[in-house]
Amino acid sequence: MNVQEQILRNQLEAYLAERPEAGADSRIETLTRIGGRGATGVYAFALVYDEAGERVTQKLVLKTYANSPEGIDRALKERHALYHLRTARYPVPAVMAVETSPEALGVPFVIMQQVEGQTLGAALQSADDRKRRGLIAQFVGLLVDLHARGPEALIRREMSPVSAHALINREIHTLRGLAQNRDQQEYLPVIDWLYERRKSVSSEGMVVNHRNYTLSNVLVGPTGAMSVVDWGWQIGDARFDLAWTLLDLERAGLGELRDDVLAEYERVTGAMVADLPYFEVVAALRWLMDAVHEARKAGTLKAGQELLREAMLPSTREAAAKIAERTGTALPDAETLLA
């Protein structure tokens, strides 16, 4: 454990000592970073405390966010999703606490149940054909189930009707705002392409989008039951979630699995996905803009900028090629984008 993790452990231990959920005489036995990127950190820890005269060990996860309005919003959204979806018996970890003030740890954070098991990506690597089909069916089934619940799953009030293409308009508006705020004008021609063709895209209803439904964010427990984590949710079009998932599989070099997931999705929903190429452009562009922005920030803050750029080049090239293939709009080469 490095110095920063030791400080975090001490701060977290002091915070939990004041929480009634943590019982009496609580202490943290282990704390290990298991994930996160950028300003987000994910830590697994074991909390030991007295309860009714017995010593109890509880395995938990701490997730920290940037100390910014965006980080606070993300922490609150994650807690909201975990609480309401678990209440509705959708498979997510139980949530213990959320804090938006930097007083305790210096950053906003959420504490949740630790899910035993492995990522779906790891489970698929060791699965035979029969088990693989079952895992894919579960993975797709959970996404379809989420979308079938409608906005009511997380929005506890009646939502006002929206225009036929309001959800697409919002995605485009968000992309344009990011391009302007981050000085990413090189992406504006693609955003213009999306805007010009938005009315040709079929309109579908509003659903809860997970916004990062990937193999690493679905955990498989010892019994085979799955749990979904990392909720940056938003009300949107179901096809954004699907396109994001499919492109994530392509970036990982899992083209065959991508095709299997799409086939299973269309089998379960009973229809071919309309206008999927359009939403693949939206998803590819959003990933590219976010990834390049984070890489640029990281490169200015620490050593190893060249190593970071080299690691990012293949995925950046692939996303830019996907956009060019779909739109006919060529972006600068990957080296220039990451410079």
Side-chain angles (χ1 to χ4, degrees), residues 150-151 154-155 159 167 170 206-209 233-237:
L154 293 179
I155 304 296
M159 296 187 67
L167 301 177
R170 186 183 62 187
M206 298 182 293
V207 304
V208 173
N209 274 187
W233 65 275
Q234 179 175 293
I235 303 302
D237 190 299

Side-chain angles (χ1 to χ4, degrees), residues 209-224:
N209 274 187
H210 179 276
R211 302 296 289 188
N212 195 18
Y213 193 77
T214 64
L215 300 184
S216 59
N217 286 331
V218 175
L219 306 178
V220 184
T223 65

Side-chain angles (χ1 to χ4, degrees), residues 322-334:
K322 172 72 70 176
I323 290 168
E325 174 191 347
R326 293 280 192 262
T327 70
T329 303
L331 291 167
D333 58 45

